[in-house]
Amino acid sequence: MRFYSLTIAAAAMLLSGCSAYSMGAEPTNSAAPVVADAAGEHTQAGVANPSIWPSYTYPVVTSDETEARIAQIIARMTLEEKIGQLVQADLCCVTAQDVKEYNLGSVLNGGNSGPYGNDTAPAPQWLKAADEFYDASVDISDGGVGIPIVWGTDAVHGHSNIIGATIFPHNIGLGAMRDAELVERIAQVTAKEIRVTGQEWTFAPTVAVPQDFRWGRAYEGYSSDPELVASYVGAMVRGLQGAPNSQNLLAGPYVIASTKHYLADGGTKDGIDQGDADISEEELRDIHGAPYGPAIENGVATVMASFSSWQGKKMTGNRSLLTDVLKDRMDFKGFVVSDWNAHGQVKGCTNESCPQAITAGIDMFMAPDTWKAIYADTLAKAKDGTIPMARIDEANAAVLRVKMRLGLFEAGRPSERLLSGDYDLLGAPEHRAVARESVRKSLVLLKNSGVLPLKADANLLVAGDGANDIARQSGGWTISWQGTGIENDSFPGATSLYAGIESAVAQAGGTAQLSPDGSFTKKPDAAIVVFGETPYAEFQGDRATLALDTELTAPYETMRKLKAQGIPVVAVMITGRPLYVNPALNIADAFVVTWLPGSEGGGLADVLIGDQAGKARYDFTGQLPAAWPNTPEMGDGVLFPFGYGLNYTAPASAWQPLAEVDTANAGDSRNWLKAGVPASSWSLLVEGDGSGEETRITTLPVNALSGRVRVTASDYIVQEGARRFTISSGQSAVTLRNFEPIDLDRETNADVLLLFTAKTWTPLKNAKIGASGNASEGIVDLSLPKTDDYVRYGIPLKCFRTNGADMTALTKPFVLETNGPADFGLTEIRLGSDAEQILPCQ
Ligand code: BGC
Ligand code: BGC
């Protein structure tokens, strides 16, 4: 017995020093392409050479006693308990009872999950759930060790899942500030607010170095410049976790951080989310690897592996980068968590099975809805030796070391810890002040013919569709995953851009009239027109070009009209990235980029509105965190370089009109049917009962299927904005077909919905809805009541997969089958998460 425990302790010391397990885990693929590196040496694609990477020193966050304690715990754990520690489940799909039964190491709330099935649950519910998970984890009535659970959340710009929390500018805006000291204060506030509701871990900061701003996550990165990103990381990690070698974090106002997504999430080809960074190892190291140095030296507790690939090989299975470079060469001594079912994308893996990830160096699976299967499979693979026991123990030691460092074993129930339940801290005035300061400092002035600053007693018109919309100014990852469909009343205590302007002028005797379309009764002294992007997250924000979606450019016309009436126009752009907006730059007298400022819209007015004499109260200090494009095409020239930004002391120079190009087709390619019209490369069809009979709907009205189906135009929002299908009898289907099969696998994985906006003149009975490809079809029952107006229905893509569709190759992602008479209209079909009504999966 004595001999045994000594051995374990000795092994633990070894584990804390370096990776004990170093067996070649990724089966070497002899067919892998061989590439030449800079020195002319031949290396294997996707396999890193650790010796060319910098080495760092991780701070000492453990002690001999702690290591001995870890070893003792591991010695007492059953294999089942060990596997449980390596699994993280999402709140969507796990109960406290599960946590107890499977000894799960962690839970998370993904973008659309909250406690008790409620993503918008009030703060006390989060704390209550935290207590329940904690109690379940330490319950040893079944004879287990009882290791306290850690709860991770995407507090990526403040505690951004919680109603009432302070929402900071997204990272791209922080990049414009060039102020690491302020970044540290932002992180401190974020940590405090997280602690109020009982979580201990944030999946932040994102340290991506975006190189292509067509990427839907570009705004989560601080800058395209590795040096600027690297200069923020230490501050962010310290603000969240405390000093580099901090211990017992929960005794102070701290949480653990996670730098993500390792590695080169911002380097994928064409900016495709979860895509491939087809770049040299030097670029990988110098651009995307740069932020990990300060992260490690500041003792970041966790690293999240990227969904993406390097040279065709998925990060989640890349042993050379996860273990040889990150852990061994760069000395990272925390644990590595994988991303949302990302293991399923590793070659040879599925969402339900991936020993490759663990052997490559992943220490914890983020297996939101698949945790039970991955648990069972990992257990089996540990039992049969596919995953060496030394690796299981090493991963457990890494997780336990972080839990020890947090002080999780001593902290007691979440509700009993420092700051817990101090709900007044959520959105506290002193926290909002920090956010407002960061809004002020992140604004970038691109043009000013002298109209700014505005006088405090002016009569202003505040126009544009983004002026009074806090969700819009907050962007994705705000309350919900996509940040869409949230009204201002879900942001108690927050200030819209308009409200900030209104309060600034009202104090000095001026007025601010809110008028989204720019109409007015009394001619204003000047107009502020707020326009720009609407919220998105992850791949839903990927675009083919750097153009602002056409449907979002309507405010240009408002600006033109105002100008024509002799009213000076200040354009304010809400955006997650630099985009081609030359028309707006040409029209407006001044142009300000606010990025995604978050809950404290007052920061805009602080800078735009001076005193009564028109003297500035605050000057612009923001500088572009990435170059601003001259055309919608990526790589087609720079209009304003990295670092550009005007201020009030720089004299206004004469404006040279910019060339304008047509962007009529710019937009979200996941919008397949818009105003009744299919997008380019899509066809709207009426099909018969399998005989191959079909009518392609182009001109209207038309009789399809030998007159059984009458298709007419119907009005919705605009004249003829919808298609009405009046079916007299028989079996028929309305389908959308694409020429090339499309791959909706990642959308399916992420709980995205198929949205269709429909009106039913008669109840729709005996109908089916599905998605089909050449090889397979998944179809489910559908019935809809009669409606008076159009309703945006959503059905989880998962339903189709569960029912047999191969979501990687769909030719008809929308099939609506009817049997017998029916009468319905369709206006829009697309992917998204903003359904008015989610349909059950039958
Ligand atoms: C994202 C991560 C996030 C995780 C949990 C993933 O899809 O890539 O950044 O932390 O989900 O919500
Ligand atoms: C979750 C996010 C997650 C995403 C994965 C969503 O359903 O809510 O947290 O990041 O899927 O792509």
Side-chain angles (χ1 to χ4, degrees):
M1 196 58 221
R2 190 182 140 73
F3 171 74
Y4 180 69
S5 59
L6 258 181
T7 312
I8 297 279
M13 298 305 291
L14 219 175
L15 295 182
S16 67
C18 75
S19 267
Y21 168 69
S22 60
M23 207 184 85
E26 276 273 327
T28 35
N29 181 355
S30 52
V34 167
V35 290
D37 66 14
E41 288 188 18
H42 286 92
T43 50
Q44 208 178 22
V47 179
N49 170 10
S51 70
I52 70 161
W53 290 71
S55 54
Y56 304 104
T57 306
Y58 195 79
V60 178
V61 294
T62 184
S63 63
D64 290 355
E65 296 84 70
T66 304
E67 291 304 315
R69 198 171 158 202
I70 292 171
Q72 278 160 14
I73 293 174
I74 292 179
R76 281 169 50 212
M77 290 167 82
T78 61
L79 182 57
E80 284 76 4
E81 287 176 278
K82 289 179 184 176
I83 303 302
Q85 281 305 300
L86 310 185
V87 175
Q88 181 183 57
D90 186 80
L91 257 59
C92 64
C93 312
V94 69
T95 62
Q97 182 56 33
D98 291 328
V99 165
K100 174 172 180 237
E101 194 175 329
Y102 294 88
N103 303 290
L104 297 179
S106 179
V107 289
L108 86 148
N109 64 286
N112 287 331
S113 322
Y116 313 106
N118 181 5
D119 189 28
T120 56
Q125 299 274 304
W126 295 73
L127 186 54
K128 180 164 177 275
D131 271 350
E132 287 170 14
F133 287 125
Y134 172 86
D135 290 345
S137 70
V138 298
D139 183 332
I140 51 170
S141 59
D142 56 1
V145 177
I147 295 169
I149 195 159
V150 61
W151 178 340
T153 187
D154 291 292
V156 295
H157 59 147
H159 193 11
S160 43
N161 280 279
I162 304 292
I163 303 232
T166 309
I167 307 293
F168 290 93
H170 265 297
N171 285 354
I172 191 77
L174 305 191
M177 302 187 314
R178 309 294 207 272
D179 189 340
E181 182 275 330
L182 182 49
V183 166
E184 189 158 344
R185 284 190 280 136
I186 290 171
Q188 285 165 352
V189 169
T190 305
K192 281 189 190 158
E193 295 202 9
I194 296 171
R195 291 290 303 279
V196 171
T197 56
Q199 291 67 46
E200 305 97 351
W201 181 11
T202 174
F203 302 128
T206 297
V207 299
V209 191
Q211 299 300 296
D212 187 328
F213 282 79
R214 291 175 293 177
W215 184 35
R217 304 192 79 160
Y219 68 82
E220 295 186 61
Y222 299 115
S223 168
S224 59
D225 178 52
E227 238 177 274
L228 177 52
V229 178
S231 76
Y232 275 5
V233 177
M236 193 53 112
V237 171
R238 282 192 308 275
L240 292 166
Q241 298 193 155
N245 63 349
S246 58
Q247 292 189 42
N248 210 3
L249 269 54
L250 294 178
Y254 300 116
V255 295
I256 52 171
S258 188
T259 39
K260 71 186 187 185
H261 308 83
Y262 183 85
L263 190 60
D265 49 348
T268 60
K269 189 170 181 299
D270 298 333
I272 291 174
D273 191 45
Q274 305 183 13
D276 183 35
D278 191 13
I279 56 178
S280 72
E281 187 166 357
E282 286 72 19
E283 250 180 281
L284 183 71
R285 178 194 63 195
D286 299 341
I287 297 177
H288 305 283
Y292 287 87
I296 289 166
E297 287 175 334
N298 283 282
V300 71
T302 73
V303 166
M304 188 186 294
S306 184
F307 265 118
S308 59
S309 319
W310 174 51
Q311 296 184 350
K313 198 174 159 85
K314 283 283 167 181
M315 286 294 163
T316 309
N318 195 318
R319 183 182 159 77
S320 71
L321 284 167
L322 293 175
T323 298
D324 304 344
V325 171
L326 179 65
K327 293 183 177 181
D328 292 347
R329 178 75 179 180
M330 303 207 294
D331 201 37
F332 171 63
K333 290 281 181 284
F335 72 80
V336 180
V337 64
S338 55
D339 203 347
W340 189 273
N341 278 333
H343 55 268
Q345 299 184 15
V346 174
K347 196 167 173 225
C349 292
T350 62
N351 285 355
E352 291 74 29
S353 167
C354 194
Q356 291 91 322
I358 297 283
T359 50
I362 297 292
D363 300 304
M364 184 183 280
F365 278 115
M366 185 188 290
D369 50 348
T370 50
W371 63 269
K372 220 178 246 187
I374 207 81
Y375 167 90
D377 181 77
T378 308
L379 181 61
K381 298 295 185 330
K383 279 186 178 156
D384 73 12
T386 309
I387 307 173
M389 206 56 75
R391 178 68 194 103
I392 299 285
D393 285 349
E394 184 189 64
N396 269 275
V399 171
L400 286 171
R401 197 171 292 122
V402 168
K403 290 187 171 182
M404 295 271 172
R405 181 179 176 200
L406 255 179
L408 206 53
F409 288 82
E410 286 75 37
R413 304 179 84 207
S415 63
E416 286 156 11
R417 302 173 191 163
L418 184 73
L419 307 182
S420 287
D422 286 351
Y423 300 114
D424 288 348
L425 283 178
L426 296 171
E430 64 275 22
H431 294 181
R432 293 190 188 275
V434 176
R436 184 163 174 165
E437 180 182 349
S438 44
V439 174
R440 275 200 298 270
K441 292 185 170 167
S442 62
L443 304 172
V444 178
L445 180 65
L446 295 181
K447 178 182 181 182
N448 184 15
S449 63
V451 58
L452 289 177
L454 297 159
K455 282 193 184 140
D457 57 2
N459 294 314
L460 301 175
L461 185 76
V462 184
D465 51 10
N468 193 32
D469 187 341
I470 301 170
R472 176 100 175 252
Q473 72 195 40
S474 299
W477 298 108
T478 307
I479 303 183
S480 71
W481 179 38
Q482 293 296 321
T484 45
I486 304 164
E487 304 294 331
N488 281 358
D489 59 9
S490 291
F491 295 92
T495 306
S496 72
L497 297 176
Y498 160 70
I501 293 163
E502 210 275 330
S503 110
V505 291
Q507 283 168 22
T511 59
Q513 195 193 332
L514 178 66
S515 168
D517 67 359
S519 58
F520 55 82
T521 40
K522 184 173 166 252
K523 188 172 170 187
D525 300 326
I528 298 173
V529 182
V530 184
F531 77 109
E533 290 194 310
T534 48
Y536 53 79
E538 301 194 45
F539 44 83
Q540 303 235 49
D542 285 1
R543 292 292 183 272
T545 70
L546 291 172
L548 181 65
D549 294 356
T550 311
E551 68 209 40
L552 301 175
T553 60
Y556 294 0
E557 203 39 50
T558 310
M559 294 182 205
R560 266 184 213 109
K561 276 191 202 146
L562 292 164
K563 283 282 291 184
Q565 296 170 84
I567 299 162
V569 167
V570 178
V572 171
M573 183 179 188
I574 294 172
T575 187
R577 47 188 154 190
L579 293 175
Y580 163 81
V581 286
N582 286 5
L585 279 161
N586 280 335
I587 310 161
D589 299 284
F591 193 107
V592 178
V593 185
T594 61
W595 311 107
L596 299 167
S599 61
E600 303 318 304
L604 175 72
D606 288 344
V607 186
L608 254 49
I609 309 209
D611 62 14
Q612 259 140 308
K615 189 172 164 294
R617 292 179 296 144
Y618 294 92
D619 202 350
F620 285 92
T621 56
Q623 300 172 13
L624 287 181
W628 199 276
N630 198 14
T631 84
E633 297 316 313
M634 179 62 204
D636 195 20
V638 165
L639 179 60
F640 301 114
F642 170 82
Y644 187 84
L646 302 170
N647 58 38
Y648 289 144
T649 54
S653 54
W655 182 259
Q656 300 296 330
L658 306 169
E660 297 183 15
V661 298
D662 181 24
T663 57
N665 292 321
D668 185 352
S669 57
R670 274 170 304 263
N671 218 329
W672 304 326
L673 185 79
K674 256 189 195 178
V677 180
S680 65
S681 94
W682 290 85
S683 307
L684 179 64
L685 309 171
V686 176
E687 300 178 293
D689 54 0
S691 56
E693 195 191 351
E694 67 170 44
T695 307
R696 191 166 149 226
I697 309 304
T698 48
T699 50
L700 295 171
V702 65
N703 289 330
L705 307 185
S706 327
R708 272 203 293 121
V709 181
R710 170 103 178 135
V711 188
T712 52
S714 141
D715 293 346
Y716 178 62
I717 299 184
V718 293
Q719 205 180 348
E720 307 207 339
R723 300 291 167 266
R724 178 171 177 174
F725 303 86
T726 309
I727 302 169
S728 59
S729 64
Q731 214 177 309
S732 52
V734 174
T735 56
L736 265 181
R737 179 172 68 198
N738 195 22
F739 294 124
E740 296 291 337
I742 63 166
D743 181 352
L744 295 186
D745 204 40
R746 57 182 186 163
E747 285 81 357
T748 308
N749 181 27
D751 272 344
V752 172
L753 308 170
L754 172 70
L755 300 171
F756 63 101
T757 308
K759 173 174 172 173
T760 31
W761 278 267
T762 57
L764 195 62
K765 292 187 203 132
N766 304 321
K768 289 181 190 298
I769 185 163
S772 97
N774 292 332
S776 65
E777 182 177 58
I779 194 140
V780 297
D781 289 344
L782 175 77
S783 64
L784 299 176
K786 174 180 179 315
T787 57
D788 292 332
D789 204 350
Y790 279 85
V791 177
R792 188 163 61 249
Y793 298 100
I795 182 154
L797 289 173
K798 266 186 194 146
C799 292
F800 307 139
R801 179 166 70 193
T802 314
N803 283 281
D806 172 4
M807 303 303 284
T808 64
L810 296 170
T811 41
K812 293 175 191 165
F814 176 88
V815 179
L816 178 60
E817 262 179 40
T818 52
N819 212 334
D823 192 2
F824 59 90
L826 289 169
T827 172
E828 186 184 57
I829 302 175
R830 63 179 168 92
L831 298 180
S833 48
D834 50 334
E836 285 165 332
Q837 195 181 319
I838 298 184
L839 299 169
C841 184
Q842 287 163 351

